[in-house]
mmCIF file of all heavy atoms in Angstrom:
data_model
loop_
_atom_site.group_PDB
_atom_site.id
_atom_site.type_symbol
_atom_site.label_atom_id
_atom_site.label_comp_id
_atom_site.label_asym_id
_atom_site.label_seq_id
_atom_site.Cartn_x
_atom_site.Cartn_y
_atom_site.Cartn_z
ATOM 1 N N PHE A 130 17.422 12.447 3.735
ATOM 2 C CA PHE A 130 17.750 11.838 5.026
ATOM 3 C C PHE A 130 18.531 12.803 5.913
ATOM 4 O O PHE A 130 18.245 12.929 7.113
ATOM 5 C CB PHE A 130 18.563 10.560 4.802
ATOM 6 C CG PHE A 130 19.073 9.936 6.068
ATOM 7 C CD1 PHE A 130 18.239 9.203 6.883
ATOM 8 C CD2 PHE A 130 20.400 10.116 6.455
ATOM 9 C CE1 PHE A 130 18.701 8.633 8.056
ATOM 10 C CE2 PHE A 130 20.874 9.559 7.621
ATOM 11 C CZ PHE A 130 20.022 8.811 8.428
ATOM 12 N N ILE A 131 19.504 13.496 5.340
ATOM 13 C CA ILE A 131 20.297 14.446 6.124
ATOM 14 C C ILE A 131 19.418 15.570 6.653
ATOM 15 O O ILE A 131 19.526 15.982 7.814
ATOM 16 C CB ILE A 131 21.452 15.009 5.265
ATOM 17 C CG1 ILE A 131 22.457 13.883 4.945
ATOM 18 C CG2 ILE A 131 22.150 16.162 5.979
ATOM 19 C CD1 ILE A 131 23.544 14.304 3.979
ATOM 20 N N MET A 132 18.526 16.079 5.811
ATOM 21 C CA MET A 132 17.658 17.176 6.228
ATOM 22 C C MET A 132 16.715 16.744 7.348
ATOM 23 O O MET A 132 16.544 17.453 8.351
ATOM 24 C CB MET A 132 16.855 17.688 5.034
ATOM 25 C CG MET A 132 15.930 18.851 5.357
ATOM 26 S SD MET A 132 15.059 19.470 3.903
ATOM 27 C CE MET A 132 14.062 18.045 3.468
ATOM 28 N N VAL A 133 16.104 15.559 7.198
ATOM 29 C CA VAL A 133 15.118 15.106 8.182
ATOM 30 C C VAL A 133 15.790 14.658 9.471
ATOM 31 O O VAL A 133 15.369 15.032 10.577
ATOM 32 C CB VAL A 133 14.263 13.972 7.593
ATOM 33 C CG1 VAL A 133 13.343 13.385 8.661
ATOM 34 C CG2 VAL A 133 13.436 14.479 6.415
ATOM 35 N N ALA A 134 16.855 13.856 9.358
ATOM 36 C CA ALA A 134 17.464 13.265 10.551
ATOM 37 C C ALA A 134 18.402 14.228 11.271
ATOM 38 O O ALA A 134 18.361 14.341 12.504
ATOM 39 C CB ALA A 134 18.231 11.999 10.162
ATOM 40 N N ARG A 135 19.232 14.968 10.523
ATOM 41 C CA ARG A 135 20.222 15.831 11.178
ATOM 42 C C ARG A 135 19.692 17.236 11.438
ATOM 43 O O ARG A 135 19.791 17.747 12.556
ATOM 44 C CB ARG A 135 21.492 15.920 10.317
ATOM 45 C CG ARG A 135 22.635 16.673 10.990
ATOM 46 C CD ARG A 135 23.757 16.944 10.003
ATOM 47 N NE ARG A 135 23.336 17.869 8.942
ATOM 48 C CZ ARG A 135 24.111 18.199 7.906
ATOM 49 N NH1 ARG A 135 25.307 17.662 7.781
ATOM 50 N NH2 ARG A 135 23.676 19.057 6.985
ATOM 51 N N ASP A 136 19.095 17.848 10.419
ATOM 52 C CA ASP A 136 18.676 19.245 10.561
ATOM 53 C C ASP A 136 17.393 19.390 11.378
ATOM 54 O O ASP A 136 17.286 20.274 12.225
ATOM 55 C CB ASP A 136 18.493 19.873 9.179
ATOM 56 C CG ASP A 136 19.783 19.864 8.366
ATOM 57 O OD1 ASP A 136 20.855 19.778 8.994
ATOM 58 O OD2 ASP A 136 19.713 19.932 7.132
ATOM 59 N N PHE A 137 16.411 18.528 11.114
ATOM 60 C CA PHE A 137 15.128 18.648 11.805
ATOM 61 C C PHE A 137 15.021 17.742 13.028
ATOM 62 O O PHE A 137 14.053 17.856 13.785
ATOM 63 C CB PHE A 137 13.971 18.340 10.851
ATOM 64 C CG PHE A 137 13.826 19.336 9.737
ATOM 65 C CD1 PHE A 137 13.215 18.979 8.548
ATOM 66 C CD2 PHE A 137 14.294 20.640 9.884
ATOM 67 C CE1 PHE A 137 13.071 19.895 7.521
ATOM 68 C CE2 PHE A 137 14.155 21.559 8.864
ATOM 69 C CZ PHE A 137 13.544 21.184 7.675
ATOM 70 N N GLN A 138 15.975 16.817 13.193
ATOM 71 C CA GLN A 138 15.977 15.905 14.345
ATOM 72 C C GLN A 138 14.654 15.125 14.449
ATOM 73 O O GLN A 138 14.069 14.996 15.527
ATOM 74 C CB GLN A 138 16.212 16.696 15.643
ATOM 75 C CG GLN A 138 17.525 17.452 15.707
ATOM 76 C CD GLN A 138 18.732 16.517 15.765
ATOM 77 O OE1 GLN A 138 18.736 15.525 16.495
ATOM 78 N NE2 GLN A 138 19.765 16.839 14.993
ATOM 79 N N LEU A 139 14.213 14.580 13.327
ATOM 80 C CA LEU A 139 12.933 13.873 13.301
ATOM 81 C C LEU A 139 13.076 12.377 13.063
ATOM 82 O O LEU A 139 12.088 11.695 12.758
ATOM 83 C CB LEU A 139 12.031 14.463 12.208
ATOM 84 C CG LEU A 139 11.514 15.877 12.451
ATOM 85 C CD1 LEU A 139 10.742 16.379 11.249
ATOM 86 C CD2 LEU A 139 10.641 15.921 13.700
ATOM 87 N N ALA A 140 14.292 11.848 13.186
ATOM 88 C CA ALA A 140 14.476 10.408 13.003
ATOM 89 C C ALA A 140 13.691 9.639 14.056
ATOM 90 O O ALA A 140 13.492 10.100 15.184
ATOM 91 C CB ALA A 140 15.959 10.058 13.083
ATOM 92 N N ASN A 141 13.215 8.467 13.678
ATOM 93 C CA ASN A 141 12.451 7.584 14.564
ATOM 94 C C ASN A 141 11.134 8.218 15.026
ATOM 95 O O ASN A 141 10.693 8.020 16.161
ATOM 96 C CB ASN A 141 13.285 7.175 15.785
ATOM 97 C CG ASN A 141 14.527 6.402 15.411
ATOM 98 O OD1 ASN A 141 14.457 5.434 14.668
ATOM 99 N ND2 ASN A 141 15.669 6.833 15.920
ATOM 100 N N THR A 142 10.524 9.001 14.161
ATOM 101 C CA THR A 142 9.211 9.576 14.445
ATOM 102 C C THR A 142 8.265 9.264 13.289
ATOM 103 O O THR A 142 8.691 8.999 12.164
ATOM 104 C CB THR A 142 9.286 11.095 14.639
ATOM 105 O OG1 THR A 142 9.700 11.710 13.400
ATOM 106 C CG2 THR A 142 10.266 11.464 15.743
ATOM 107 N N TRP A 143 6.968 9.327 13.586
ATOM 108 C CA TRP A 143 5.976 9.108 12.535
ATOM 109 C C TRP A 143 5.983 10.245 11.533
ATOM 110 O O TRP A 143 5.647 10.046 10.363
ATOM 111 C CB TRP A 143 4.586 8.956 13.158
ATOM 112 C CG TRP A 143 4.347 7.605 13.761
ATOM 113 C CD1 TRP A 143 5.275 6.834 14.408
ATOM 114 C CD2 TRP A 143 3.139 6.862 13.749
ATOM 115 N NE1 TRP A 143 4.705 5.664 14.826
ATOM 116 C CE2 TRP A 143 3.385 5.649 14.443
ATOM 117 C CE3 TRP A 143 1.863 7.112 13.269
ATOM 118 C CZ2 TRP A 143 2.408 4.680 14.635
ATOM 119 C CZ3 TRP A 143 0.884 6.143 13.464
ATOM 120 C CH2 TRP A 143 1.159 4.947 14.124
ATOM 121 N N ILE A 144 6.345 11.434 11.974
ATOM 122 C CA ILE A 144 6.417 12.575 11.046
ATOM 123 C C ILE A 144 7.423 12.282 9.940
ATOM 124 O O ILE A 144 7.180 12.585 8.766
ATOM 125 C CB ILE A 144 6.792 13.856 11.808
ATOM 126 C CG1 ILE A 144 5.697 14.228 12.800
ATOM 127 C CG2 ILE A 144 7.044 15.017 10.841
ATOM 128 C CD1 ILE A 144 6.021 15.443 13.633
ATOM 129 N N ALA A 145 8.550 11.686 10.311
ATOM 130 C CA ALA A 145 9.570 11.365 9.311
ATOM 131 C C ALA A 145 9.089 10.311 8.328
ATOM 132 O O ALA A 145 9.525 10.287 7.165
ATOM 133 C CB ALA A 145 10.844 10.893 10.012
ATOM 134 N N LEU A 146 8.201 9.432 8.761
ATOM 135 C CA LEU A 146 7.676 8.401 7.866
ATOM 136 C C LEU A 146 6.630 8.958 6.905
ATOM 137 O O LEU A 146 6.533 8.514 5.766
ATOM 138 C CB LEU A 146 7.053 7.267 8.684
ATOM 139 C CG LEU A 146 7.997 6.314 9.415
ATOM 140 C CD1 LEU A 146 7.193 5.353 10.277
ATOM 141 C CD2 LEU A 146 8.859 5.536 8.432
ATOM 142 N N ILE A 147 5.859 9.936 7.373
ATOM 143 C CA ILE A 147 4.687 10.376 6.611
ATOM 144 C C ILE A 147 4.962 11.615 5.771
ATOM 145 O O ILE A 147 4.611 11.674 4.588
ATOM 146 C CB ILE A 147 3.509 10.639 7.579
ATOM 147 C CG1 ILE A 147 3.113 9.337 8.274
ATOM 148 C CG2 ILE A 147 2.323 11.240 6.840
ATOM 149 C CD1 ILE A 147 2.101 9.524 9.388
ATOM 150 N N VAL A 148 5.594 12.633 6.364
ATOM 151 C CA VAL A 148 5.663 13.941 5.718
ATOM 152 C C VAL A 148 6.599 13.999 4.512
ATOM 153 O O VAL A 148 6.192 14.516 3.456
ATOM 154 C CB VAL A 148 6.034 15.024 6.757
ATOM 155 C CG1 VAL A 148 6.254 16.372 6.084
ATOM 156 C CG2 VAL A 148 4.943 15.130 7.819
ATOM 157 N N PRO A 149 7.858 13.533 4.582
ATOM 158 C CA PRO A 149 8.756 13.716 3.426
ATOM 159 C C PRO A 149 8.235 13.154 2.111
ATOM 160 O O PRO A 149 8.419 13.787 1.066
ATOM 161 C CB PRO A 149 10.040 13.000 3.875
ATOM 162 C CG PRO A 149 10.019 13.098 5.367
ATOM 163 C CD PRO A 149 8.569 12.958 5.741
#
Side-chain angles (χ1 to χ4, degrees):
F130 174 77
I131 293 174
M132 181 177 64
V133 173
R135 186 190 66 184
D136 299 338
F137 294 155
Q138 300 293 316
L139 291 175
N141 298 309
T142 64
W143 282 36
I144 295 177
L146 286 174
I147 297 172
V148 174

